[in-house]
């Protein structure tokens, strides 16, 4: 069950960012059954190595000055890794660096990847630590030159041999299999999909016969999420039908989660996919607005999403999918707070001078017959509605919510005005275009909630225009 051809890999680099930093050393232990080959090379990163990293690894600038560049070793590395399981400790790091180095050369690199941190966590779930130093102690590994590429790659090979004995081949194979699990794609899909799906955040679209839009979904890991739809253990009827119907999959990568959520919400509304739960359109939305009909006398009026112009909303409450929902909620609030349903407009008034029915059963404090001052009733109504109050747009104009991925060194700016999502920009020219078309953007509840909650977290930088 475990692939025959293995490559234990370790890299040294100029830093932790696979986009900005470069490889300074590669160590590979190739294993084919009983045959073990090692390979080690310094790599000239084409830039200075920070002092603290020189100290950590012992790889100094003068050592790599005469070493080959990555471009010069790429061909040999390809030959050594081709068709092998790529095994590394915290493999996302090493795999990310190797992929990026090839990308700079205009080449693609892909391998089946096995992470020994995940492997260790799986096999020894009771152990709190799985870094290399902890594994050396726990399993009695013999380090010969910590923080040099080949020495660390060799530690992984030592670890592998320990695991073959304890917990043994069968348990090891099962843990490896669990990481490598490749789903069987539905027959109509192009197998190249497995190679192409990125592991980045974004939105994916399933198309069926005649290119009908079946489903729109989002994830912080497109590859994982899309493939999970086809996992062999999925027995859910809905998933099975989707897998049978899908003919083509599209995706849009985003920098982060908010971008994916906003795009998903927009694409679902625009495309009305067959298998998504239908989301309400803006026109159906409504909210209560308090209007002062006489001094101190506030009465609720139902206003539609469009009418309310939620952008500048001052005293709006709720945001309901339907008028019926709005009425039901107000009725419950009235009962809970002994407010008068007649004053609130929920019921027709009884005969003049007669209290409402609610008052007769002690559910209204009697504002309808002057037993409660109307000003007091209004004040209690406002307090009761407070929790439902819609937040007014806190800026004088549009803003950009900046979503950054430092690891990949990319950013996107989500342009929002009055809670309305205008679109996502990657440049100042994009921002300009979006602001020009601002008037066509609709207010909707999902976007309002998404943006409000992300603003509340305070993690995104806000850019004013
Ligand atoms: Zn009453």
């Amino acid at each position: 069950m475990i692939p025959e051809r293995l490559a234990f890999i370790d890299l040294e680099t100029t830093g932790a960012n696979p986009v900005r930093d470069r490889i300074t050393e590669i160590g590979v232990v190739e294993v084919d059954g009983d045959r073990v080959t090692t390979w080690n090379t310094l790599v000239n990163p084409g830039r200075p190595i920070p002092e603290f990293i020189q100290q950590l690894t012992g790889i100094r600038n003068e050592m790599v000055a005469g070493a080959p560049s990555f471009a010069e070793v790429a061909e040999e590395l390809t030959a050594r890794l081709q068709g092998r399981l790529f095994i590394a400790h915290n493999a996302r790091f090493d795999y990310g660096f190797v992929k990026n180095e090839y990308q700079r050369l205009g080449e693609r690199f892909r391998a089946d990847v096995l992470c020994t941190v995940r492997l260790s966590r799986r096999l020894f779930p009771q152990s709190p630590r799985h870094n290399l130093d902890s594994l050396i102690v726990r399993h009695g590994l013999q380090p010969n030159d910590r923080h040099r590429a080949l020495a660390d790659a060799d530690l992984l090979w030592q670890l592998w041999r320990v695991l073959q004995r304890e917990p043994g081949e069968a348990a090891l194979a099962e843990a490896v299999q669990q990481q490598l699990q490749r789903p069987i794609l539905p027959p109509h899909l192009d197998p190249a999909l497995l190679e192409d799906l990125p592991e980045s955040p974004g939105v994916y679209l399933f198309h069926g016969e005649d290119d009908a839009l079946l489903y729109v979904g989002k994830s912080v890991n497109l590859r994982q999420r899309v493939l999970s739809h086809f996992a062999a253990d999925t027995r859910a009827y809905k998933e099975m039908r989707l897998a049978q119907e899908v003919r083509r999959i599209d995706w849009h990568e985003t920098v982060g989660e908010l971008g994916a959520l906003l795009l998903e919400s927009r694409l679902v509304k625009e495309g009305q996919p067959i298998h998504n739960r239908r989301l309400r359109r803006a026109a159906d939305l409504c909210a209560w607005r308090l209007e002062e009909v006489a001094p101190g006398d506030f009465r609720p009026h139902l206003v539609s999403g469009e009418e309310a112009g939620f952008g500048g909303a001052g005293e709006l409450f709720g945001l309901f999918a339907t008028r019926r929902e709005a009425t039901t909620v107000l009725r419950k609030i009235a009962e809970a707070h002994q407010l008068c349903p007649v004053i609130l407009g929920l019921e027709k008034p009884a005969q003049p001078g007669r209290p409402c029915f609610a008052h007769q059963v002690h559910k209204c404090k009697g504002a309808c017959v002057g037993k409660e001052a109307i000003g007091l009733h209004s004040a209690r109504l406002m307090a009761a509605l407070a929790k439902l109050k819609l937040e007014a747009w806190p800026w004088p104009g549009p803003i950009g919510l900046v979503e950054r991925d430092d690891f990949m060194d990319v950013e996107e700016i989500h342009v929002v005005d009055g809670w309305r999502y205008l679109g996502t920009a990657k440049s100042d020219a994009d921002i300009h275009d979006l602001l020009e078309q601002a008037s066509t953007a609709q207010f909707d509840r999902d976007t309002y909630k998404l943006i409000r909650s992300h603003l509340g977290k305070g993690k995104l930088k806000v850019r004013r225009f």
Side-chain angles (χ1 to χ4, degrees):
M1 290 302 272
I2 296 176
E4 292 262 308
R5 307 180 65 222
L6 311 174
F8 299 87
I9 297 138
D10 189 67
L11 305 175
E12 303 306 327
T13 62
T14 61
N17 183 317
V19 176
R20 279 179 298 219
D21 294 310
R22 303 295 300 266
I23 294 175
T24 57
E25 188 177 38
I26 306 170
V28 184
V29 178
E30 295 154 70
V31 177
D32 298 78
D34 293 337
R35 219 184 69 207
V36 179
T37 319
T38 60
W39 182 63
N40 187 48
T41 180
L42 285 167
V43 178
N44 185 340
R47 59 161 64 195
I49 306 168
E51 181 54 37
F52 77 98
I53 291 179
Q54 295 192 49
Q55 285 182 14
L56 175 74
T57 61
I59 300 172
R60 308 209 59 86
N61 283 318
E62 51 274 23
M63 291 163 63
V64 294
S69 66
F70 186 83
E72 290 166 313
V73 301
E75 203 179 331
E76 173 151 23
L77 184 64
T78 307
R80 289 181 179 275
L81 296 184
Q82 202 133 56
R84 286 178 192 278
L85 184 58
F86 185 113
I87 307 173
H89 206 64
N90 192 7
R92 177 177 146 86
F93 177 89
D94 302 87
Y95 188 57
F97 265 92
V98 169
K99 269 184 94 136
N100 269 291
E101 289 284 9
Y102 278 104
Q103 210 166 329
R104 281 186 202 99
L105 303 176
E107 290 174 38
R108 275 176 70 103
F109 177 79
R110 223 195 96 70
D112 283 336
V113 178
L114 186 75
C115 174
T116 44
V117 175
R118 287 178 62 195
L119 193 66
S120 172
R121 210 178 277 143
R122 170 99 180 169
L123 293 171
F124 304 95
Q126 69 286 0
S127 302
R129 289 175 192 283
H130 301 274
N131 59 50
L132 211 40
D133 287 318
S134 307
L135 297 188
I136 289 169
V137 174
R138 187 181 312 143
H139 300 293
L141 310 179
Q142 299 299 317
N144 52 49
D145 201 359
R146 268 302 266 127
H147 297 300
R148 287 300 296 267
L150 186 57
D152 283 359
D154 179 68
L155 281 172
L156 300 182
W157 167 227
Q158 291 183 39
L159 171 69
W160 187 265
R161 281 172 289 166
V162 170
L163 298 179
Q164 283 176 318
R165 294 192 300 272
E166 179 61 43
E169 291 273 2
L172 178 59
E174 198 208 339
V176 171
Q177 211 50 43
Q178 182 257 339
Q179 263 193 57
L180 296 184
Q181 218 163 48
R182 299 194 116 202
I184 300 157
L185 285 185
H188 301 290
L189 283 180
D190 182 355
L193 188 67
L194 284 178
E195 309 303 315
D196 295 342
L197 271 171
E199 290 183 339
S200 59
V203 174
Y204 58 93
L205 300 90
F206 283 11
H207 296 271
E209 236 18 293
D210 300 322
D211 235 25
L213 183 58
L214 299 175
Y215 185 78
V216 174
K218 67 108 207 359
S219 176
V220 293
N221 184 333
L222 279 171
R223 181 182 178 80
Q224 216 173 63
R225 181 67 191 103
V226 168
L227 295 184
S228 77
H229 281 284
F230 312 126
D233 54 2
T234 295
R235 289 286 173 265
Y237 174 69
K238 203 183 135 191
E239 292 281 1
M240 270 168 48
R241 248 185 68 193
L242 200 55
Q244 278 165 11
E245 289 174 16
V246 65
R247 297 289 179 276
R248 187 170 66 81
I249 299 177
D250 275 344
W251 60 83
H252 304 279
E253 291 180 52
T254 61
V255 166
E257 192 185 13
L258 178 59
L261 287 163
L262 289 169
L263 184 60
E264 178 197 34
S265 164
R266 166 174 286 187
L267 291 176
V268 167
K269 287 194 179 75
E270 283 174 3
Q272 297 282 309
I274 295 162
H275 291 284
N276 284 80
R277 210 162 48 86
R278 299 295 166 105
L279 295 171
R280 294 273 169 186
R281 289 170 171 281
D284 299 332
L285 287 178
C286 54
W288 292 108
R289 173 155 60 203
L290 286 186
E291 286 173 13
E292 194 172 16
V293 295
D297 184 356
F298 288 85
R299 311 270 171 123
H301 285 263
L302 199 56
V303 289
S304 76
E306 292 298 283
E307 195 185 331
F310 284 123
E315 294 291 291
L316 285 170
F317 302 88
L319 212 48
F320 307 99
T322 59
R323 303 180 82 84
R324 190 195 171 102
E325 187 190 331
T327 308
T328 306
V329 169
L330 186 59
R331 196 178 293 280
K332 281 187 182 152
I333 288 174
E335 275 180 26
H337 293 86
Q338 291 177 283
L339 295 164
C340 180
V342 171
I343 301 271
L344 296 182
L346 293 167
E347 277 173 23
K348 292 250 153 56
Q351 285 170 355
R354 298 273 304 151
C356 68
F357 177 71
H359 182 65
Q360 295 170 37
V361 295
H362 309 293
K363 284 185 172 172
C364 156
K365 284 195 172 173
C368 43
V369 284
K371 283 193 180 172
E372 179 183 31
I374 195 70
L376 183 57
H377 185 273
S378 294
R380 293 198 305 113
L381 172 63
M382 282 182 207
L385 286 173
K387 267 191 190 159
L388 292 176
K389 188 168 171 195
L390 287 179
E391 205 175 309
W393 180 242
W395 284 276
I399 59 157
L401 281 167
V402 184
E403 202 164 30
R404 253 198 87 71
D405 181 344
D406 284 325
F407 195 63
M408 297 304 289
D409 197 22
V410 284
E411 72 176 27
E412 281 179 345
I413 301 147
H414 310 301
V415 183
V416 183
D417 189 10
W419 303 116
R420 293 171 309 143
Y421 168 51
L422 307 188
T424 293
K426 289 193 191 284
S427 67
D428 285 351
D430 290 353
I431 293 173
H432 180 81
D433 289 349
L434 289 172
L435 292 175
E436 293 245 296
Q437 306 154 15
S439 56
T440 61
Q442 279 193 320
F443 178 88
D444 81 58
R445 178 157 72 164
D446 305 311
T447 312
Y448 166 76
K449 286 183 173 169
L450 282 175
I451 293 168
R452 197 186 55 176
S453 81
H454 273 80
L455 278 173
K457 287 179 199 161
K459 281 184 187 159
L460 299 183
K461 206 175 88 193
V462 172
R463 203 173 130 188
R464 309 257 303 256
F465 305 124

